[in-house]
Amino acid sequence: MSLSSLIKKIDELHSEYVSVWEDICNIESPTSYKQGVDEVGLYFINLAKKFGWKVEVLEQEVSGNAVCITMNENASGKPVAISGHIDTVHPVGSFGSPAVKIQNDKIYGPGVMDCKGGVVAGILAMHALKECGFDKRPVILLLQTDEENSSRTSNKETVKFMCEKSKNCVAFLNLEGHEGFFEGKACIERKGILKYEFSVLGIETHASYCAKEGANAIKEAAYKIIELEKFKDDEGVTCNVGVIKGGSVVNTVARECKFEVDVRFSNKTQMEWIKEKLKEIADKQFVKGCVTTLKQLSFRTSMELCDKNVDLLNKMNAIFRDNGMAELSAGKRRGGSDAADVSSYGIPCVDSLGVKGERAHSIYEEADLISLSESAKRLALVISNI
């Protein structure tokens, strides 16, 4: 199999897979909408069956069904895994109808960059490899279905499925998209994520008695939020309070207030430190009569810098260099990713190898059409040469 024939085949298939990209992004699939997530999964399952590839499905009651597609199942070489998630963040209908628009060499819509574009690049690379006769190793495509809520709805079962299916792989290539500022980089470090709910209980009374009676849960929450918002270390721990609910009517001292906090950390030491700080803030009483309980909603480990991931990136760059492609520098991302779980499982992993785009998690999300084939070429080169 020659490099030129592989590159040519990916270029020939590009337009076909732009259509696939458009199709699956028009199937809206927010994490909580199992029907939509499963419909996207079924789209890829049908493609895999057309190619004669093995399909395994992890059935789920609440989240979408995770999918494992294997090409060259019985090949003798060490397998390579590629992976991306097919769930998105916005409620159905947020992008209008149709959800996807293509213009000026860009595609717009839910998940075009994060992360459906990467999944399409992966299956494009696999299709091109098949057409060029590649058969020396198994290639595993894993479709994650509740990545956007840190796999809370599956109780981490989908992540465990991914790790188990790729445990013997020589490389795990995660297909999260990358913004323009990250172009030319590959991610080998990511922050971890903790999400907590603070529930404050006060004493309800008539608003006219607030000077001497009652205990305002909203006031207590406000003091705590100010303390939490002080953690803003770009290289370390950050806290963001993004959701707050409290009170009943304006002329009553609020009995209850709840708010959710998103915490990011770079390593286990920082994680343990901030967990203690959160407990201290929850336990501290600012308003007499108020009591606070703390509940962890979800957790995603950090992707710490480690030798196995550095070694994998070095091997990838040697392949790119030998084949006339630009090398990728080592990068660090603030957002969480399944790559962190995979890396902690002991599997060599490099992330952010999907398509190039901008404005993920917004109704203006976009991706560059040409980046689909660019990503596929890098993936195909690594798969065939690592």
Side-chain angles (χ1 to χ4, degrees):
M1 184 185 69
S2 69
L3 170 64
S4 59
S5 64
L6 182 58
I7 298 300
K8 180 181 179 183
K9 181 54 65 176
I10 289 174
D11 287 335
E12 289 174 357
L13 292 169
H14 176 81
S15 296
E16 177 182 339
Y17 279 86
V18 168
S19 296
V20 171
W21 198 359
E22 183 177 12
D23 286 346
I24 64 162
C25 291
N26 268 321
I27 304 170
E28 296 189 66
S29 55
T31 311
S32 59
Y33 184 45
K34 176 177 171 60
Q35 179 181 334
V37 180
D38 284 344
E39 189 176 345
V40 177
L42 183 60
Y43 188 106
F44 285 106
I45 288 170
N46 288 335
L47 276 179
K49 288 181 176 178
K50 183 181 78 172
F51 297 133
W53 298 339
K54 180 182 178 181
V55 174
E56 299 168 270
V57 178
L58 177 70
E59 299 282 346
Q60 292 289 300
E61 289 187 10
V62 181
S63 61
N65 299 328
V67 179
C68 176
I69 295 168
T70 305
M71 167 186 168
N72 299 335
E73 177 190 2
N74 298 315
S76 60
K78 284 269 191 178
V80 169
I82 56 179
S83 180
H85 65 89
I86 56 176
D87 61 319
T88 56
V89 297
H90 288 90
V92 173
S94 299
F95 288 75
S97 182
V100 178
K101 298 172 181 62
I102 295 178
Q103 56 188 36
N104 300 326
D105 299 321
K106 292 183 181 291
I107 182 169
Y108 301 83
V112 291
M113 177 179 74
D114 183 21
C115 173
K116 291 178 178 179
V119 176
V120 177
I123 204 161
L124 167 55
M126 291 169 71
H127 186 174
L129 286 164
K130 175 181 170 62
E131 290 293 311
C132 292
F134 177 77
D135 60 2
K136 79 174 187 179
R137 65 161 40 103
V139 183
I140 300 167
L141 173 64
L142 292 153
L143 307 182
Q144 231 287 51
T145 51
D146 59 354
E147 189 273 349
E148 292 291 4
N149 68 6
S150 300
S151 300
R152 184 168 69 244
T153 46
S154 68
N155 194 30
K156 293 286 187 182
E157 289 301 316
T158 53
V159 171
K160 292 174 186 175
F161 178 74
M162 291 172 56
C163 292
E164 185 62 28
K165 291 299 176 184
S166 54
K167 64 182 180 182
N168 296 318
C169 288
V170 67
F172 187 106
L173 312 177
N174 208 44
L175 304 177
E176 290 282 349
H178 55 277
E179 296 87 353
F181 72 87
F182 208 74
E183 189 172 10
K185 297 181 180 180
C187 178
I188 55 174
E189 291 183 81
R190 277 190 181 271
K191 284 193 172 185
I193 307 172
L194 283 165
K195 291 183 181 177
Y196 279 89
E197 180 186 72
F198 283 71
S199 298
V200 183
L201 186 64
I203 301 172
E204 191 175 64
T205 189
H206 194 284
S208 63
Y209 304 144
C210 68
K212 293 186 175 180
E213 298 179 22
N216 194 323
I218 292 176
K219 182 179 179 181
E220 176 74 10
Y223 279 112
K224 294 181 187 300
I225 290 169
I226 290 169
E227 291 299 307
L228 291 164
E229 287 284 338
K230 291 177 181 177
F231 298 106
K232 290 286 185 284
D233 181 355
D234 194 45
E235 295 300 315
V237 173
T238 63
C239 288
N240 179 70
V241 178
V243 176
I244 182 168
K245 299 175 184 178
S248 54
V249 293
V250 71
N251 57 346
T252 298
V253 173
R255 180 176 182 272
E256 293 182 282
C257 185
K258 295 183 178 183
F259 60 91
E260 295 180 19
V261 56
D262 178 297
V263 180
R264 309 279 165 141
F265 57 91
S266 296
N267 52 54
K268 290 183 176 65
T269 301
Q270 291 179 5
M271 179 189 73
E272 294 301 330
W273 178 82
I274 192 59
K275 287 172 77 171
E276 285 298 315
K277 291 296 181 182
L278 292 175
K279 187 177 184 303
E280 287 177 15
I281 292 170
D283 290 343
K284 185 176 180 180
Q285 186 185 71
F286 295 89
V287 177
K288 186 178 179 180
C290 287
V291 177
T292 302
T293 57
L294 185 64
K295 177 184 178 183
Q296 182 176 309
L297 300 177
S298 64
F299 163 73
R300 171 172 281 157
T301 191
S302 57
M303 185 181 186
E304 297 188 40
L305 186 65
C306 61
D307 290 343
K308 66 180 183 300
N309 295 346
V310 173
D311 289 345
L312 174 57
L313 180 57
N314 288 339
K315 290 175 183 176
M316 290 168 57
N317 277 329
I319 293 168
F320 299 148
R321 185 169 58 248
D322 291 345
N323 289 280
M325 293 191 77
E327 297 180 38
L328 299 175
S329 61
K332 180 178 180 179
R333 305 295 298 270
R334 298 177 184 88
S337 162
D338 289 326
D341 292 278
V342 172
S343 182
S344 68
Y345 206 78
I347 303 164
C349 181
V350 171
D351 197 1
S352 296
L353 298 172
V355 297
K356 176 188 172 185
E358 302 288 346
R359 299 190 283 259
H361 287 208
S362 83
I363 60 170
Y364 307 105
E365 184 171 344
E366 66 177 65
D368 296 352
L369 292 179
I370 192 61
S371 68
L372 182 70
S373 55
E374 291 172 349
S375 173
K377 289 170 186 177
R378 287 192 181 275
L379 295 172
L381 279 175
V382 174
I383 290 168
S384 56
N385 291 283
I386 196 73

